[in-house]
Structure formats: structure tokens, C-alpha cells
Amino acid sequence: MGRLRIFLIIAILIIVVAIVVAVVIPGLNQPTAQVQATPGPGEVLVQEVQNPAETPLPTATPIVFVDIVVAVQEIPRGMVIPPNAIQLRPWPQSVAPFNGVTNMDDVIGKRARTDIFREQPILSNMVVDDLTGAARVGSDAAAVLPEDLVAVSIPMDRLTGIAYAPQDGDRVDLIISLLFVDMDEDFQSILPNSLRLFRVTDEGIELLDPIEGRPDSTSLGSVIVAPSERQRPRLVTQRTIQDALVVHVGNFPYDGRFIGVPPTPTPVPDDNADGQDGTPPPPTPLPPRPDIITLGVTPQEAVVITWMIEARIPITLALRSASATARTATTEVTLDYVMGQYGITLPGKRPFGIEPAIRSIRQLVTDGLISLSD
């Protein structure tokens, strides 16, 4: 009897706990209803405030990948590419090379047209079927140049080359300056023309001394107005070609290969090494600064640049940001533009001045000064 009573008590407790769990706990998970009530005199209204809903996190834009063939070992030029030298790797589509190989069968068994480095994507122009194509490897410049561009070189110095800041792969704009003069349309010579009077005599036509200037009428009578100096040209500056690709700065190597080739290290001088007569060794000479730059432009822009060089027009480079790709229009700059844009007024004439007279201002002169006149 005692044991049966204990079992009954335990069963009753289990039933009570089950009822509590089934009734009370679900009520705790239900949202509390808000009740609008007006407090009476002396009463305080207590209102439960629900927790604000959680702000949903922004959905990340998925990155689209494409599979391209990548070298997993060093592949020297001319080597037959084995299957274990390459792999298909996912590559972000936004930065994937346009001529990257996507099928391993297009690479296996072919020969490397140039040296291929480990983890380098294999492009379609890096492999050939036989050694005949590998022999015509060509230059690195032609390999990296986009198919819609051509390469053309222009001279540069410290001033026009942005203090030698541009490097291979940068983008630059071209700014030119032109000097305009008035010309005789028929003679195509600078005005004013030289006048030469003549008179008819019994012996024929007699030529008088030439006069440079123009005939004019003044209060003193008819005169020849001659210039006090040669005609001053009018300067105009404007940005022309935009977003030109810097293919290479300086002269190309003799073999045309400059991509992936480590630069020649500068030897470190030995402080303990002296000359034969006890004098310190001469310092190691620094390599010369580049004086030429090769740009990738459209075929029409290449013709324009060639005309500028033939016309001896100075070209100044402007370095673009690495993220800038837009092309914007600019206004040509003249003396009138500078005075109007920056509020420069013409100084008036005064019955006094300073001594000594200011007849020139400082001029910026570089090592490679280009003379614009003979």
C-alpha cells in the first residue's frame, strides 16, 4: 500500500507540471497587447512597451566568378604545357582578362609563347601550336596593348613629364600650347607685309626702297605706319587627347621584353674598399632619367600626336587618377580667359613709377627648353 501511494503522488505531480508547461509557457511567448486606458484620479497608467522590430541587414551583392586557366608552376618560353602545370581557378568577372583562356584543352599540349609565371592567368596570345609561332614572340608592348589601340612615343622632360611620376599602366591626358599670328592669306607670311613703291620714268620702272608697314592717314598727312617689333604671337592652351595608356616610360630593351623582368640592382658601395692610391672609389652613377614615353591611343589620336611632333608643338602630360575613366570637356585658356576667370584687371597708367623699371619677370626654364621661334 505504501508503495502504491508513492506512485500516485508522483503521477499527480507529473500531471500538474505538464499542465503548467502547456498553459503558462505558451502565454509567455505571445506578444503583449497594448490596451488604451484612461487613468482615473490618483491612478498611474502603466503600459508595456514592445521591443522595436529588428532592422533587417542589407543584402550583399553577390560577386560573379568565372573559371579561367591559371598557371600553377613556372612555364618557360617554348615549353610544352603539361596538364599538371595549369588549373581552372574562379576569378571575379569584373576584373577577369578579356582574352583569358577558359578551357584547359586549349592550353594543354601547346607551347608557351612567352614566360608564364606561377598564379598568372593564361591569355590566348600566350600559347602557340608549335615553335614557329614561339619564334615570332614579338615585343611585350604589342602583347599588353589593347587591340583597339596603337602605340606612339613622344619626348618628355622633368616639367612636361610630371616630374617623372608616370609609370607603366598609368593613364594621362595631353595638354598642348599653340602660338597664333596674323598672316597674309596669299603669301602665307606673317603680317605686316613689306611695301615697295615704284615710279615710272623715261627709262622704265624705278623701284624705291621697301617699306615695312601699312599706309595710313593722320593729322600730319599720309604716313607709313611701321611696327616697333615683330608681331607678338597669341598663346592658347587646351587639353586634347584624354585617357591615354602609358605603355612604357623610357627606352624599350633591345629584346622588347620588359614585363616581369626584375630591374638591375644598384651595387652597394663598399665603405672599406679604397682605390689603389688610397682614395675612396667613385660613387656609383645613377641611371639617366627617361626622356621619352610611349602611349597607347586610338589610330586617329596617333595621327594627331604625330602632327603635333612634326609641328614642334610642346606637349605637357597630366596624370589621371587610377580610378578616373570619364572624359570631360575643358575650355581653352587665353589671356582673356585668365583675366576674366580670376578677376585680373588691366592696371591703369600713372604719372609715376618705380625704379629700376620692371621689364621682365621670372621665367621657368628647364634643361630641355624648346624654342618656339627661330
Side-chain angles (χ1 to χ4, degrees), residues 226-265:
S228 61
E229 61 180 352
R230 186 178 181 270
Q231 182 184 157
R232 294 190 179 186
R234 298 181 295 278
L235 174 64
V236 178
T237 302
Q238 175 62 297
R239 181 175 65 170
T240 54
I241 298 172
Q242 301 183 37
D243 201 32
L245 172 66
V246 178
V247 179
H248 188 61
V249 179
N251 295 321
F252 288 96
Y254 289 107
D255 58 359
R257 301 174 62 189
F258 62 95
I259 298 177
V261 178
T264 303

Side-chain angles (χ1 to χ4, degrees), residues 25-369:
I25 293 181
L28 295 177
N29 295 329
Q30 296 295 329
T32 303
Q34 295 184 359
V35 180
Q36 301 292 337
T38 303
E43 296 179 353
V44 179
L45 178 62
V46 178
Q47 183 177 359
E48 285 188 332
V49 180
Q50 294 181 350
N51 292 330
E54 295 183 357
T55 303
L57 296 177
T59 304
T61 303
I63 300 177
V64 180
F65 289 87
V66 294
D67 290 336
I68 63 175
V69 180
V70 177
V72 295
Q73 68 181 36
E74 303 289 337
I75 303 176
R77 175 173 173 262
M79 172 183 173
V80 177
I81 301 177
N84 60 349
I86 57 175
Q87 285 183 359
L88 277 177
R89 297 279 184 84
W91 209 269
Q93 187 178 22
S94 58
V95 295
F98 69 93
N99 57 342
V101 180
T102 58
N103 189 353
M104 294 181 60
D105 294 336
D106 295 336
V107 178
I108 297 174
K110 295 189 177 181
R111 294 185 181 272
R113 187 169 181 259
T114 183
D115 290 342
I116 302 176
F117 302 96
R118 183 181 300 174
E119 302 299 330
Q120 180 181 4
I122 298 181
L123 309 181
S124 58
N125 58 350
M126 290 183 177
V127 294
V128 292
D129 293 329
D130 51 34
L131 290 177
T132 304
R136 298 191 301 267
V137 62
S139 65
D140 287 350
V144 301
L145 197 66
E147 61 182 12
D148 58 337
L149 301 182
V150 296
V152 63
S153 300
I154 62 174
M156 60 173 284
D157 57 19
R158 184 177 57 176
L159 178 61
T160 61
I162 326 167
Y164 307 111
Q167 299 297 320
D168 299 358
D170 286 340
R171 297 276 179 166
V172 295
D173 296 342
L174 275 64
I175 301 174
I176 67 171
S177 295
L178 301 172
L179 295 177
F180 288 90
V181 294
D182 295 327
M183 299 183 64
D184 185 281
E185 188 174 355
D186 295 328
F187 292 123
Q188 288 294 293
S189 58
I190 299 178
L191 293 176
N193 291 327
S194 296
L195 301 179
R196 190 160 190 176
L197 303 178
F198 68 92
R199 60 186 176 185
V200 179
T201 62
D202 296 338
E203 298 178 356
I205 297 176
E206 181 183 356
L207 298 177
L208 303 179
D209 294 334
I211 301 174
E212 184 177 356
R214 69 175 187 270
D216 201 352
S217 298
T218 66
S219 58
L220 300 177
S222 298
V223 297
I224 298 295
V225 179
S228 61
E229 61 180 352
R230 186 178 181 270
Q231 182 184 157
R232 294 190 179 186
R234 298 181 295 278
L235 174 64
V236 178
T237 302
Q238 175 62 297
R239 181 175 65 170
T240 54
I241 298 172
Q242 301 183 37
D243 201 32
L245 172 66
V246 178
V247 179
H248 188 61
V249 179
N251 295 321
F252 288 96
Y254 289 107
D255 58 359
R257 301 174 62 189
F258 62 95
I259 298 177
V261 178
T264 303
T266 302
V268 180
D270 187 0
D271 296 336
N272 298 325
D274 294 336
Q276 296 180 355
D277 55 353
T279 59
T284 303
L286 297 176
R289 290 288 191 176
D291 57 0
I292 195 169
I293 185 172
T294 303
L295 305 177
V297 294
T298 64
Q300 183 60 43
E301 291 172 341
V303 177
V304 173
I305 292 177
T306 303
W307 179 86
M308 294 176 183
I309 296 175
E310 297 294 342
R312 301 176 60 190
I313 296 175
I315 303 174
T316 300
L317 302 177
L319 184 63
R320 296 175 66 97
S321 170
S323 59
T325 57
R327 300 192 179 195
T328 57
T330 56
T331 303
E332 69 274 5
V333 176
T334 61
L335 180 59
D336 293 335
Y337 177 88
V338 174
M339 296 180 67
Q341 184 73 14
Y342 300 102
I344 302 175
T345 58
L346 181 65
K349 298 180 181 179
R350 297 291 183 266
F352 55 84
I354 62 175
E355 188 66 25
I358 301 176
R359 301 189 182 278
S360 63
I361 57 177
R362 293 175 297 173
Q363 296 181 354
L364 183 61
V365 179
T366 59
D367 296 336
L369 182 63

